[in-house]
Amino acid sequence: MWLVAVISIGFLTDCLIGDPVWLPHPVRLIGGMISALERICRSVFPKTPAGERVAGAAMAVCVLVLTAGGTSAALWAAAQINRCLAFALACILCWQVIAAKCLKTEAMKVQCTLEKGDLSEARRQISMLVGRDTQRLDAAQVAKAAVETVAENTGDGVVAPLLWLMVGGP
């Protein structure tokens, strides 16, 4: 019951607040950790296909151990102080890994800009969501890119986090 409550509160908080730009996002922190680990692995492991596979496996294990271990340690420490503090921290952690509102907000910006007829601004906005060159896209292609991004990132930013939260908790 605790897990369902924590995930539900985290999801509802995301729906209401989204991802404030002033708050350091865990995904950015993990990305920074991955960049640092990559530099270390590239200097330690041989620059061969086998060495790169081993380095990649080592990085994957390190990222999983450090993120899960750090999260578990933080939740344990909070529980030692106060169970309500641990509950609140668990809710915050759940909120931070779900990206439903942010995804909706960014896609709606593109839609509103297209409805106003500002194709160059819509191209700029969609360029922040997709990895492709957007400068030559027409309005229909910008709209298609937004729909594809929402569809793709719903799996990565909503469904997968909810699934893994149910499996392993925050």
Side-chain angles (χ1 to χ4, degrees):
M1 191 64 175
W2 177 87
L3 184 59
V4 172
V6 164
I7 294 170
S8 298
I9 291 169
F11 182 78
L12 291 172
T13 304
D14 179 71
C15 289
L16 295 172
I17 299 172
D19 295 320
V21 287
W22 56 266
L23 187 64
H25 199 278
V27 172
R28 284 196 194 113
L29 299 173
I30 294 168
M33 178 177 54
I34 290 169
S35 294
L37 285 170
E38 181 180 9
R39 283 190 299 278
I40 293 166
C41 286
R42 289 194 183 276
S43 69
V44 171
F45 291 96
K47 292 165 183 51
T48 63
E52 289 182 355
R53 278 192 297 279
V54 172
M59 276 184 53
V61 169
C62 285
V63 169
L64 290 171
V65 167
L66 291 171
T67 55
T71 302
S72 296
L75 287 167
W76 178 84
Q80 299 311 301
I81 297 167
N82 183 297
R83 289 177 52 203
C84 291
L85 178 63
F87 183 83
L89 178 59
C91 292
I92 290 168
L93 290 168
C94 290
W95 159 48
Q96 284 294 286
V97 298
I98 301 168
K101 181 167 185 176
C102 179
L103 187 57
K104 176 190 174 210
T105 300
E106 295 304 317
M108 294 306 294
K109 284 181 190 176
V110 174
Q111 178 186 354
C112 291
T113 304
L114 282 173
E115 288 173 353
K116 291 177 187 172
D118 190 349
L119 182 57
S120 65
E121 177 61 13
R123 287 175 177 151
R124 187 192 68 73
Q125 289 172 335
I126 198 65
S127 73
M128 291 188 241
L129 299 174
V130 299
R132 66 183 103 157
D133 178 23
T134 61
Q135 292 308 307
R136 292 185 181 87
L137 299 181
D138 62 27
Q141 291 169 321
V142 170
K144 182 180 176 187
V147 170
E148 289 171 354
T149 296
V150 169
E152 187 177 307
N153 289 310
T154 296
D156 296 341
V158 182
V159 176
L162 288 172
L163 169 72
W164 290 108
L165 286 169
M166 289 301 291
V167 169

